Amino acid sequence: MNRKEFAEFLLGKTEHTKDEYEAMYPERNLDSNAMVTRFAPSPTGFVHIGSLFVSFLDRKYASQTNGVCYLRIEDTDTKRTVDNGVSNIIRDLANFDINFDEGMISDTEDKGNYGPYLQSSREDIYKAYAKDLIEKDLAYPCFLSPEEMEDIRNMQEDIKARIGIYGKYAKYRNLSVEEAVEKINNGEKYIIRLKSPGNFDNKIIFEDVIRGRMEFNENDLDIVIIKSDGLPTYHFAHAIDDHLMHTTHVIRGDEWVSSIPLHVQLFDVLGFKAPKYLHISPLMKKEGETVRKLSKRKDAEAAVSYYHEEGIPTYAVLLYIMTVANSNFEAWLDANPNGKIEDFELTFNKMSASGSLFDMDKLLNISKNYISRLNKNEVYDMAINYTKEYDSELYDLLTKYKDYSIDVFNIEREQAKPRKDLAKFSEIRPYLWYMYDELYEPETYEFMNVSDKDEISRILSTYMDKYYDVTDKDTWFNNIKLLADELGYASNMKEYKANPENFKGNVADIATVLRVALTSKSQTPDLYEIMRLFGKDRVLNRYKKFI
Ligand code: GLU
């Protein structure tokens, strides 16, 4: 049996040969600086905020260079695959405006000329390349049983040797074709391993786009390329896919850094030009004095679904992600508060090589600023979208009193420095419940300096009898001063400060009473606006309710 026949004997006939596949996926027709990136998750159904970060970088770099960003699903580890895993990823990322030019568009369908984009549908391709390696004596069948593998591992641990199949542990590396065929005819199970041409004592230099120059020992591990289920390992599959799909930049988590020598070697052995790599450090969380990885298990904010559930606007999350991606983005945003993400060009040299802190307070602050700059209709729409899913009672009110609600969102909005107090829509109920009679059932009233009930009643009734006027803000405020004067409170703060003992209090105390009796809260947006929106009858009713 010659090696070609041997390869066929091991892996069967493929629909196409390696050379045919090479011809089927020609170079892409793009500008020379265009980046071809891919997001390549396993379909586990869970999208980590770190994956959002990586896919965002993929999308952004491809977009800003007129390149291509595609979605490839790495489902060769069938144990990790869940139902709807792909469509969940597509949906979660689309929520953040991360859409792909090519790749999977549902759990089963894809678009684009470089597919299929689901690795489990590419078995024939991987086998064609594995067969080529077998023919060239760069891969071989290995008959080590799981028990033998375990024994080897235990022994290596005992004697503190490097773990893996190399050197003398690579027992079947040099089996002849005839010996291998005989074993297979006897029913022995096998997998396909790379016949690594490397020598561990050699050093290799690798240039990571973000981390710069790195030095490694050359790979000498005979890693598995085709598993017993006929599917490839990640190492083998990603090399072939990134080659055939003409990926120019691989952006991925730094858990793959230790595989760099292997991957460099695989590209070499396969005769491919390797893409450039950007290895991204995990997002870190500060907890007291310690800094640790954001964890799917411990941290709700590790899941991208969290941001949707909390009603943090997706664009605010992306703005925050930009600050993590490029250290100069924040200064740019300060200088261009209305600047759009697409107007800012991400650069490699402003990316951090070490783990970035994921700072929720900062994110919420960015979100607050962002929401404050939206117009009333935009905020209303977001409130509607959020409450529709998470607060049907409030949703009904926002819909029933649409125009009123839009006006509520407009309080202190269209001004040079808009009010900033809403960071996420999960806070929408505590933010505006008191603006709706249907929700208004205060348990306590946050009165401040004036808390005597009779005095408060006197203030409220005098105000309603003589001074209520919302024609315009000046008139309104003037009347409150007149009210203050009439009841023995200073309407002029200077006079009050000079002789506080001459007064019961000052005009601010009066305003506080009017505010708290109306809303039960000591802090609200502009009181004049609230009164104007309410109208006299509702103000009167609220005061009656208080009394
Ligand atoms: N499927 C790999 C993972 O889930 C992708 C790594 C890569 O982007 O190459 O980590």
Side-chain angles (χ1 to χ4, degrees), residues 279-438:
H279 286 98
I280 305 291
S281 303
L283 298 171
M284 310 297 280
K285 174 167 179 152
K286 194 154 188 232
E287 211 174 37
E289 286 309 293
T290 54
V291 174
R292 59 167 177 78
K293 273 193 216 175
L294 257 188
S295 132
K296 168 179 171 179
R297 222 163 22 82
K298 293 190 206 149
D299 308 311
E301 71 271 31
V304 295
S305 48
Y306 170 85
Y307 302 85
H308 184 72
E309 285 153 21
E310 286 291 299
I312 303 176
T314 52
Y315 200 73
V317 178
L318 295 181
L319 287 172
Y320 175 67
I321 281 188
M322 284 290 285
T323 69
V324 179
N326 260 192
S327 50
N328 53 336
F329 179 72
E330 216 177 334
W332 180 86
L333 192 62
D334 285 344
N336 307 275
N338 292 315
K340 294 268 170 287
I341 288 173
E342 68 246 36
D343 301 332
F344 182 89
E345 195 158 325
L346 276 188
T347 49
F348 295 143
N349 62 3
K350 296 287 182 194
M351 290 180 75
S352 155
S354 56
S356 299
L357 215 51
F358 191 81
D359 182 345
M360 200 51 165
D361 292 339
K362 187 164 162 185
L363 196 169
L364 291 177
N365 201 32
I366 287 178
S367 184
K368 236 180 225 179
N369 281 314
Y370 170 71
I371 295 176
S372 78
R373 282 195 304 271
L374 297 174
N375 70 40
K376 57 185 179 181
N377 293 306
E378 290 168 328
V379 186
Y380 175 78
D381 288 345
M382 286 187 180
I384 284 290
N385 286 338
Y386 184 80
T387 53
K388 188 171 189 173
E389 201 168 344
Y390 296 105
D391 188 342
S392 58
E393 189 187 18
L394 186 52
Y395 171 78
D396 290 344
L397 293 170
L398 290 174
T399 327
K400 183 170 171 194
Y401 306 114
K402 179 171 176 184
D403 292 341
Y404 168 78
S405 301
I406 292 175
D407 285 341
V408 169
F409 287 118
N410 204 36
I411 298 177
E412 290 187 61
R413 183 163 298 277
E414 284 164 5
Q415 53 192 34
K417 275 198 184 324
R419 189 178 177 90
K420 294 178 192 174
D421 48 7
L422 188 62
K424 49 183 180 175
F425 284 86
S426 59
E427 291 169 350
I428 187 87
R429 193 180 258 257
Y431 177 75
L432 50 55
W433 65 283
Y434 58 85
M435 296 300 289
Y436 296 87
D437 288 340
E438 288 85 341

Side-chain angles (χ1 to χ4, degrees), residues 38-44 51 54 58 72-76 80 119 234 238 242 250-253 255-256 263 277 279:
R38 85 297 192 276
F39 181 53
S42 297
T44 59
S51 298
V54 167
D58 285 322
R72 180 170 80 221
I73 296 294
E74 312 218 76
D75 62 341
T76 58
R80 296 182 68 200
Q119 285 186 331
Y234 163 72
H238 106 278
D242 284 327
V250 170
I251 307 177
R252 63 181 181 185
E255 66 270 26
W256 297 109
H263 293 170
Y277 284 92
H279 286 98

Side-chain angles (χ1 to χ4, degrees), residues 28-279:
R28 291 169 180 275
N29 198 356
L30 296 169
D31 296 348
S32 61
N33 70 333
M35 287 173 60
V36 179
T37 59
R38 85 297 192 276
F39 181 53
S42 297
T44 59
F46 179 84
V47 181
H48 191 282
I49 184 78
S51 298
L52 177 69
F53 183 51
V54 167
S55 56
F56 174 77
L57 295 174
D58 285 322
R59 178 68 270 174
K60 176 78 175 135
Y61 276 118
S63 296
Q64 72 182 28
T65 58
N66 293 321
V68 172
C69 177
Y70 66 89
L71 176 65
R72 180 170 80 221
I73 296 294
E74 312 218 76
D75 62 341
T76 58
D77 184 355
T78 42
K79 289 192 290 296
R80 296 182 68 200
T81 301
V82 303
D83 287 347
N84 306 321
V86 181
S87 42
N88 285 350
I89 291 171
I90 294 172
R91 181 207 54 213
D92 279 359
L93 295 180
N95 274 337
F96 287 90
D97 281 336
I98 298 176
N99 298 298
F100 298 91
D101 306 313
E102 285 175 14
M104 297 308 290
I105 54 171
S106 73
D107 285 295
T108 50
E109 300 147 300
D110 64 16
K111 63 170 184 188
N113 295 332
Y114 289 83
Y117 297 85
L118 188 67
Q119 285 186 331
S120 57
S121 307
R122 299 173 62 78
E123 208 176 313
D124 196 74
I125 301 177
Y126 306 125
K127 284 191 171 157
Y129 283 82
K131 280 170 72 177
D132 186 61
L133 292 186
I134 294 167
E135 263 183 74
K136 293 176 175 150
D137 201 15
L138 288 165
Y140 65 94
C142 172
F143 299 92
L144 287 171
S145 66
E147 297 74 35
E148 282 175 288
M149 287 290 295
E150 178 139 359
D151 289 346
I152 292 176
R153 193 190 171 91
N154 289 338
M155 188 219 294
Q156 288 172 334
E157 275 172 4
D158 283 348
I159 64 170
K160 299 202 163 42
R162 279 190 298 126
I163 306 290
I165 301 303
Y166 58 93
K168 66 177 180 202
Y169 305 109
K171 196 167 147 192
Y172 297 103
R173 183 178 159 107
N174 294 315
L175 222 56
S176 69
V177 169
E178 289 68 33
E179 287 169 316
V181 170
E182 193 185 328
K183 278 180 159 309
I184 292 167
N185 285 338
N186 286 338
E188 285 195 43
K189 297 261 168 293
Y190 60 94
I191 50 161
I192 307 296
R193 285 186 186 275
L194 171 73
K195 198 170 200 173
S196 170
N199 176 346
F200 187 73
D201 295 327
N202 289 344
K203 296 283 182 210
I204 61 160
I205 299 295
F206 174 84
E207 199 67 50
D208 184 277
V209 175
I210 306 178
R211 292 161 190 246
R213 205 179 142 90
M214 301 166 91
E215 194 182 274
F216 294 93
N217 292 91
E218 198 174 25
N219 176 63
D220 66 346
L221 302 181
D222 285 355
I223 58 109
V224 179
I225 57 173
I226 303 284
K227 301 179 290 176
S228 56
D229 58 5
L231 289 172
T233 52
Y234 163 72
H235 308 296
F236 193 57
H238 106 278
I240 291 169
D241 294 347
D242 284 327
H243 165 70
L244 289 180
M245 297 176 185
H246 299 280
T247 308
T248 62
H249 292 74
V250 170
I251 307 177
R252 63 181 181 185
D254 70 354
E255 66 270 26
W256 297 109
V257 164
S258 59
S259 303
I260 287 172
L262 166 62
H263 293 170
V264 169
Q265 186 176 69
L266 269 173
F267 274 89
D268 198 41
V269 163
L270 286 161
F272 303 157
K273 176 173 178 282
K276 293 195 162 67
Y277 284 92
L278 287 76
H279 286 98

